[in-house]
Amino acid sequence: GTMEAFKTLVNEVHKRGMHIILDFVLNHSAWDNALMDVHPDWYSHNGDGEIIPPNADWSDVADLNYDQHELRTYMLEMLQWWITETDIDGYRFDVAELVPDDFWMAAKQACQEVKADVFFLAEGKEPNLHLNGHDMTYSWNIWEGLVQLAAGNADPSEIKRSYELEEFQYPQGSLRMRFTENHDKIRSSVLIPQKDLNLTAWAFAGLMKGNPLIHGGQEVGETQPPQPALFEKMPLKWKQGDTEITKVMTDVLQLRKTYIKHDSPFQIIIADNDKLVMAYRHGPLLNFFNFSADTFKFSAGGMDEILYGGISVEADSSLSLPPYQFGVIK
């Protein structure tokens, strides 16, 4: 599209009380990038003076060399330009861990000079990314745990341990992006084909501490292509999609918006390996997730009301949660 079309998009997004960030790749470029001809010295070279990729597997791109001061200046000016010119709200930075830490600190400062609350999302998991300007990182640990748990290859206690380790590793206040699908992995409706179980896994990510991601098409149960395309146009079949999935995701996000604040206390209270059940408290919400093929029966003291999901009250006043379902109690 044109620059004017993009500016219109940004304006319409802002009108709806939303924010928009751009995906930027600063570690490498295409081999036909104009910089290749104008500034070949900005790239990494081998002993024969040939420009090289970042690694042997990424032969389709050329590695940029941040030892070159002029390259850094160019990148900082470019990042400022897009904010000034189009009023975007921040960036998602591809393979952020491969760009030097000191550059990221300069980049955040430069962008804040243009927009004070600019947002940096790092495609990376290293804790130090939060110390060099990034506001949020990818929570690959929870993705791995949920996918393996749903497949029967992991225990709830492993997710609990992974989260608790994260609390020690990351600086206080670090935002972690929670997801069950993104553009680098097989779609969740393919990995977890049982719909209730798929939604339970996403609800776990959507209601826990952190910020949830919805990958385009996930909200209608898109399965094609199973591995999202990186280099081809990928039209989404919205009208043929599963609107029930859309509704559940919408409801979960509304619960989050209504009851959970950025500083709401979070604690995993159940990680039962035998029953394949997990539960956590987040703010005023008690959230239960049944990853097993059996009904889970339990009691919950101090309950005001059942807000959402498959939880029902039995004749003996106990509660039950059907197989593969989740429920939310206030």
Side-chain angles (χ1 to χ4, degrees), residues 172-216:
Q172 188 174 0
S174 297
L175 285 175
R176 304 281 282 142
M177 189 170 72
R178 314 297 187 183
F179 53 88
T180 57
E181 176 179 319
N182 66 45
H183 77 284
D184 278 324
K185 297 297 181 181
I186 294 173
R187 286 194 173 275
S188 65
S189 289
V190 176
L191 281 176
I192 313 173
Q194 211 288 343
K195 186 167 76 172
D196 283 347
L197 185 58
N198 188 2
L199 283 170
T200 291
W202 185 84
F204 187 97
L207 288 168
M208 77 175 298
K209 182 180 178 181
N211 284 58
L213 165 74
I214 298 176
H215 177 232

Side-chain angles (χ1 to χ4, degrees), residues 11 22 24 35 42 44 55 64 93 97 115 119 137 140 167 169 175 200 215 236 241 250 257 269 290 298 320-321:
N11 187 48
L22 282 182
F24 265 50
L35 292 178
W42 290 1
S44 300
N55 57 62
L64 289 162
F93 290 114
E97 290 160 346
K115 181 170 283 194
F119 188 81
T137 51
W140 287 107
E167 285 291 280
Q169 290 177 321
L175 285 175
T200 291
H215 177 232
L236 299 174
T250 301
K257 183 177 181 180
I269 56 175
N290 187 357
F298 63 104
S320 66
L321 182 61

Side-chain angles (χ1 to χ4, degrees), residues 97 122-130 137-140 170 176:
E97 290 160 346
E123 190 211 14
K125 62 181 182 180
E126 295 302 323
N128 66 290
L129 289 165
H130 291 277
T137 51
Y138 275 51
S139 177
W140 287 107
Y170 287 80
R176 304 281 282 142

Side-chain angles (χ1 to χ4, degrees), residues 34-143:
L35 292 178
M36 188 75 70
D37 296 322
V38 180
H39 290 289
D41 54 312
W42 290 1
Y43 288 86
S44 300
H45 297 73
N46 61 19
D48 296 326
E50 301 168 325
I51 296 175
I52 58 175
N55 57 62
D57 293 331
W58 296 2
S59 59
D60 57 320
V61 293
D63 190 55
L64 289 162
N65 183 359
Y66 277 81
D67 290 336
Q68 300 296 324
H69 177 74
E70 293 80 7
L71 170 66
R72 293 181 175 232
T73 300
Y74 173 87
M75 290 296 189
L76 295 178
E77 292 176 351
M78 179 268 296
L79 292 172
Q80 289 180 318
W81 184 90
W82 278 95
I83 300 172
T84 302
E85 184 70 18
T86 68
D87 198 29
I88 58 169
D89 302 294
Y91 297 99
R92 177 265 191 194
F93 290 114
D94 190 73
V95 291
E97 290 160 346
L98 298 186
V99 176
D101 284 348
D102 59 345
F103 172 79
W104 286 131
M105 296 173 68
K108 189 61 173 290
Q109 182 178 352
C111 290
Q112 286 176 326
E113 291 173 2
V114 182
K115 181 170 283 194
D117 59 350
V118 64
F119 188 81
F120 277 19
L121 166 62
E123 190 211 14
K125 62 181 182 180
E126 295 302 323
N128 66 290
L129 289 165
H130 291 277
L131 300 176
N132 62 33
H134 291 92
D135 301 288
M136 187 157 66
T137 51
Y138 275 51
S139 177
W140 287 107
N141 57 325
I142 298 301
W143 172 82

Side-chain angles (χ1 to χ4, degrees), residues 242-267:
D242 189 330
T243 56
E244 183 181 352
I245 294 176
T246 310
K247 182 182 186 306
V248 173
M249 285 189 164
T250 301
D251 292 343
V252 166
L253 293 177
Q254 188 59 52
L255 284 170
R256 183 182 185 93
K257 183 177 181 180
T258 302
Y259 293 102
I260 298 174
K261 298 180 173 59
H262 74 278
D263 58 351
S264 292
F266 178 86
Q267 180 187 13

